[in-house]
Amino acid sequence: LAKEPRYIEAHPQLKFAAQSKKLDEMQKNADAGDIKSILAIAKAYLTGEGRNIDTTKALAWFQKGIQKSDSTAVEETANIY
């Protein structure tokens, strides 16, 4: 995700909210099959950046990437296991 302005960086709750909003916008692209958006959402669930950490949801998004034959999705899934 893009770097936030300094005031947002300084406040974790604002940073989380800003990242969450960007991911909400990416959700539409991910639902349409955009691989970059799919990976961004999966990584957000994995790292807790803009989403609450949820490994199950991360794996589900990585699986969508795998279905599109994306090697990064395969590698990230393997790293989880």
Side-chain angles (χ1 to χ4, degrees), residues 4-35:
E4 300 298 334
R6 185 176 293 174
Y7 68 90
I8 291 178
E9 285 287 327
H11 300 293
Q13 290 176 332
L14 290 176
K15 182 178 179 181
F16 184 89
Q19 290 172 331
S20 183
K21 184 176 179 180
K22 287 180 184 177
L23 287 168
D24 289 344
E25 294 168 4
M26 287 182 129
Q27 181 81 40
K28 294 174 190 171
N29 294 332
D31 289 340
D34 178 65
I35 192 62

